[in-house]
Amino acid sequence: MSKKVQLKNGVSVPSLGIGTWMIGDEPEKETKEIEAILTGIRAGMTLIDTAEMYGDGRSETLVGKAVKEYFKEGRREELFVVSKVLPWNAGRDNMRTSCVKSLERLGLDYLDMYLYHWIGNVPLTEVVEGLNALQDEGLVRSWGVSNFDTKDMEKLLKIPGGERCLVNQVLYHLGSRGIEYDLIDYMKDHDIALMSYCPLAQGGRISRGLRENPVVGDIARAHDATPTQVLLAWNIRNGHTIAIPKSSSAVHIKENAASVNLQLTSEDMKALDEAFPPPSCKMPLDTE
Ligand SMILES: NC(=O)c1ccc[n+]([C@@H]2O[C@H](COP(=O)([O-])OP(=O)(O)OC[C@H]3O[C@@H](n4cnc5c(N)ncnc54)[C@H](OP(=O)(O)O)[C@@H]3O)[C@@H](O)[C@H]2O)c1
């Protein structure tokens, strides 16, 4: 796997990373989940996304066990570990403590990226100050935000130090294209990468609808690929997007990692646009 996205600070990250929401919750699944993460890393999905929120820290603990295992064969610098601070922990008094606790659970001494999980009550200027202070101290190498719509991004970039934001992580999949109306262009104009969550629509009913769609199926067959790979290849098509599908299955992770080899044609894109039209008006930011 080699498709990369270059961030504003010059660091390159893989366009497919590993999501970890709902991972680490059940002890009997631990071995399988660690194996899935290791399979992803070995296949080039070296970016891992987690959060203090996921399982109240259990996801970070599980990721910590997986990366410790990986360090038997690889180096810290090969990984790009992302975690997130909850809105109510993002104030002056709590953010550093939250970050240090995340690092302890992960068994790491720095995060590659720290995200402000969603907008809460702490003034944005204070959140920005806190994130920059963590970066200056070296506890995090970079930071970004999550669930920010266009107006939120505009507000952020007006704050001194806000320009250090590298990424906005928002929901994006073929069945939810609202951010294409203006957010994606705004982010491109300001060199802020898109990290798309739920790229497989969370694996439920909507996801099945996408994977069983005849247009998606025809494109998959034409490329000798799977419908899931079509959804991921579509997601990361522009070199500006990092998608972070979650899977607890090594087989699924291998399938996902191979999506980077699928090059969709302009005819494929046109057919997908007809089946799943891009937005024609501003829509509220989707979060689930
Ligand atoms: N910033 C935020 O507010 C926010 C919100 C939600 C999520 N996230 C992040 O984004 C990540 C991804 O989102 P998500 O986990 O909600 O949903 P997702 O990645 O769209 O979908 C995950 C589901 O897809 C299934 N799946 C994965 N690969 C598959 C394959 N090849 N074939 C069939 N099924 C497959 C998984 O099942 P198996 O495990 O059985 O493979 C799981 O049920 C999260 O894990 C989290 O890290 C961030």
Side-chain angles (χ1 to χ4, degrees):
M1 199 185 110
S2 66
K3 216 168 173 179
K4 299 268 182 193
V5 171
Q6 189 169 37
L7 304 175
K8 191 162 63 172
N9 64 353
V11 171
S12 284
V13 294
S15 55
L16 273 184
I18 303 172
T20 64
W21 187 34
M22 313 282 269
I23 280 187
D25 281 341
E26 296 170 63
E28 64 277 12
K29 290 192 178 159
E30 182 173 300
T31 309
K32 186 173 172 248
E33 290 173 342
I34 290 175
E35 191 48 39
I37 292 174
L38 287 172
T39 301
I41 295 172
R42 290 180 190 130
M45 296 165 87
T46 51
L47 182 149
I48 306 169
D49 177 77
T50 185
E52 64 172 346
M53 185 191 95
Y54 300 165
D56 275 335
R58 285 189 296 276
S59 159
E60 289 178 327
T61 303
L62 192 280
V63 171
K65 289 179 183 173
V67 298
K68 188 173 175 202
E69 194 60 29
Y70 180 68
F71 292 154
K72 293 180 184 165
E73 62 193 80
R75 290 174 298 117
R76 170 70 184 92
E77 303 72 55
E78 290 162 359
L79 301 182
F80 193 93
V81 181
V82 182
S83 193
K84 312 185 193 78
V85 62
L86 282 163
W88 48 90
N89 287 336
R92 202 163 280 128
D93 298 332
N94 292 338
M95 195 195 284
R96 190 181 185 282
T97 309
S98 262
C99 182
V100 168
K101 281 188 188 159
S102 287
L103 288 169
E104 281 168 6
R105 286 189 288 264
L106 288 160
L108 300 175
D109 52 15
Y110 68 89
L111 286 171
D112 296 279
M113 180 172 279
Y114 204 32
L115 303 181
Y116 177 40
H117 207 147
W118 68 88
I119 294 174
N121 294 330
V122 177
L124 200 49
T125 43
E126 189 176 326
V127 176
V128 168
E129 273 170 30
L131 290 164
N132 282 330
L134 291 178
Q135 188 178 349
D136 292 342
E137 190 183 343
L139 291 177
V140 311
R141 293 265 164 107
S142 64
W143 62 265
V145 294
S146 179
N147 297 302
F148 271 45
D149 205 344
T150 315
K151 285 208 163 13
D152 307 316
M153 291 305 303
E154 284 169 357
K155 206 170 144 198
L156 172 68
L157 294 186
K158 283 194 187 121
I159 294 173
E163 73 286 348
R164 288 211 227 164
C165 171
L166 298 188
V167 156
N168 183 19
Q169 184 181 112
V170 289
L171 183 148
Y172 185 51
H173 58 71
L174 188 59
S176 179
R177 301 180 62 171
I179 62 169
E180 286 178 45
Y181 186 72
D182 61 6
L183 180 60
I184 290 189
D185 284 342
Y186 182 86
M187 286 165 54
K188 271 192 193 146
D189 288 348
H190 293 84
D191 207 1
I192 290 173
L194 166 64
M195 195 177 279
S196 65
Y197 73 72
C198 304
L200 298 174
Q202 292 189 300
R205 188 179 45 82
I206 300 174
S207 184
R208 257 197 317 282
L210 297 176
R211 280 183 278 131
E212 289 171 9
N213 179 275
V215 176
V216 173
D218 285 348
I219 294 171
R221 266 186 299 280
H223 289 277
D224 201 15
T226 67
T228 300
Q229 289 172 332
V230 172
L231 298 182
L232 292 176
W234 176 85
N235 206 296
I236 58 171
R237 65 199 178 280
N238 61 9
H240 175 74
T241 306
I242 305 140
I244 46 168
K246 169 265 170 188
S247 178
S248 307
S249 145
V251 173
H252 285 171
I253 290 237
K254 269 191 199 156
E255 177 185 349
N256 298 348
S259 314
V260 295
N261 303 320
L262 170 53
Q263 202 60 52
L264 297 174
T265 64
S266 49
E267 285 78 29
D268 296 335
M269 295 297 188
K270 203 162 153 252
L272 290 170
D273 280 347
E274 275 164 22
F276 301 94
S280 55
C281 61
K282 181 73 182 164
M283 301 169 92
L285 194 63
D286 214 354
T287 52
E288 58 185 47

